Amino acid sequence: MAGYKEPGFQDRVAAAAQARERALARLKAKPPIDPQVLADRVAKAREREEALAKRAAERAEAREIAKAKKAEVIVPEPEPEPVPEPTEAERKAARDARYAARKARKASR
């Protein structure tokens, strides 16, 4: 029994050329598309594109309406009045209160 023979470069080139010829022959053998069928396909494609464009326009309009409603609902909150800085005496009183509370906690243990 003969072993497997690896195809050489020339063999591969010839096989590719034959395959190309067979594919070309199949394409040439196909009947041409009927003009009526082609016109129907073009019309359907045009209808599909118009429907897509209409849907996209409706979606864009819905987004704009939603954005406008959201802008109406959002009312800016008034800014809180600024808290005045405590005076030196107020800071000292707060510091003394914290100190006294810490001493009371330590003493109650």
Side-chain angles (χ1 to χ4, degrees):
M1 174 175 223
Y4 175 73
K5 181 182 174 191
E6 185 74 29
F9 178 74
Q10 295 298 326
D11 296 330
R12 292 194 311 266
V13 169
Q18 285 177 350
R20 204 171 13 258
E21 289 298 322
R22 281 193 305 258
L24 188 58
R26 274 198 310 263
L27 282 176
K28 287 181 180 178
K30 274 179 109 173
I33 297 176
D34 185 26
Q36 182 63 33
V37 172
L38 184 61
D40 289 343
R41 287 181 185 174
V42 169
K44 285 182 183 180
R46 189 173 297 127
E47 289 175 7
R48 193 169 37 250
E49 288 174 2
E50 289 172 358
L52 287 174
K54 182 179 177 185
R55 242 187 355 226
E58 289 172 354
R59 287 180 185 156
E61 185 178 337
R63 276 195 302 269
E64 291 298 322
I65 290 171
K67 195 182 294 184
K69 284 182 181 179
K70 191 174 183 180
E72 289 175 4
V73 172
I74 297 175
V75 178
E77 296 181 14
E79 292 186 24
E81 294 182 20
V83 179
E85 288 288 322
T87 62
E88 187 63 36
E90 290 171 337
R91 282 195 294 240
K92 184 178 183 318
R95 189 172 51 240
D96 290 345
R98 285 193 307 269
Y99 178 76
R102 191 169 51 246
K103 285 290 185 181
R105 279 193 309 267
K106 285 184 180 180
S108 67
R109 287 189 194 177

